[in-house]
Amino acid sequence: MLPELKLAGACAADEAVGALAWSPDSGGLLISPLEGDFLLLRPDKKRPERRWKGHGFGNGSGCFFGDRKVALPSHDGVLRIFSTDSAEPVRELKLGQGMIEKAAASSDGERLAAACGKILHVFDSAFHKPTELPAAKKSVCDFAWHPSDSDYIA
């Protein structure tokens, strides 16, 4: 028999939720709605602690990355990096003309990948020129880092 489940928190987003991501310290939950503002919810709070503006054409699945940052993908081809302490972007990365469906950090937190159109872009923590994995025949909508080896991505 399964133990009783506990609800970590709940709040209303502006639109249907496309993805959820826990912070590495499990102290926050990033809510990625299909449209509208991205939200940071702390389990002990009833209201979102932070809102980051949505991107007009729609949102992809965001993630926590590095030291107190979030990567927020959009359907306008721009990946916006924010500090969890600020509402202003610390970096904007124009990845192309396609929609960015997803961003995900490697298990060690040292790399960030984002799928834009047919290309998977992989950045290091300093956002140097990305490694671009070969173009797929169709748009890349999902990918996954290996849970214990950040040299592997599928």
Side-chain angles (χ1 to χ4, degrees):
M1 182 168 209
L2 291 175
E4 185 178 334
L5 295 175
K6 299 174 185 172
L7 181 64
C11 73
D14 297 337
E15 181 61 54
V17 173
L20 301 170
W22 282 105
S23 63
D25 66 1
S26 301
L29 187 65
L30 176 63
I31 301 169
S32 300
L34 298 177
E35 292 182 7
D37 296 349
F38 288 87
L39 306 172
L40 175 60
L41 180 67
R42 301 285 180 193
D44 58 339
K45 308 271 173 137
K46 299 229 185 274
R47 302 174 70 101
E49 178 178 300
R50 175 93 43 233
R51 284 181 173 270
W52 294 285
K53 280 291 193 203
H55 307 303
F57 297 112
N59 303 320
S61 301
C63 69
F64 287 90
F65 175 62
D67 186 31
R68 301 176 59 86
K69 290 190 281 288
V70 290
L72 306 180
S74 66
H75 291 178
D76 63 2
V78 178
L79 181 63
R80 292 166 179 88
I81 311 299
F82 289 84
S83 163
T84 55
D85 300 324
S86 170
E88 298 300 318
V90 294
R91 186 163 219 130
E92 291 190 355
L93 305 164
K94 179 72 175 157
L95 301 186
Q97 300 295 342
M99 296 187 289
I100 304 174
E101 296 287 350
K102 179 179 179 177
S106 60
S107 58
D108 63 5
E110 294 297 316
R111 296 181 186 162
L112 176 69
C116 182
K118 297 179 181 181
I119 299 174
L120 184 62
H121 305 262
V122 181
F123 296 89
D124 63 16
S125 58
F127 302 104
H128 292 113
K129 183 174 174 13
T131 298
E132 294 182 355
L133 298 180
K137 291 183 180 182
K138 303 280 184 179
S139 291
V140 179
C141 296
D142 198 12
F143 58 90
W145 287 99
H146 189 280
S148 61
D149 189 338
S150 295
D151 288 336
Y152 290 97
I153 192 167

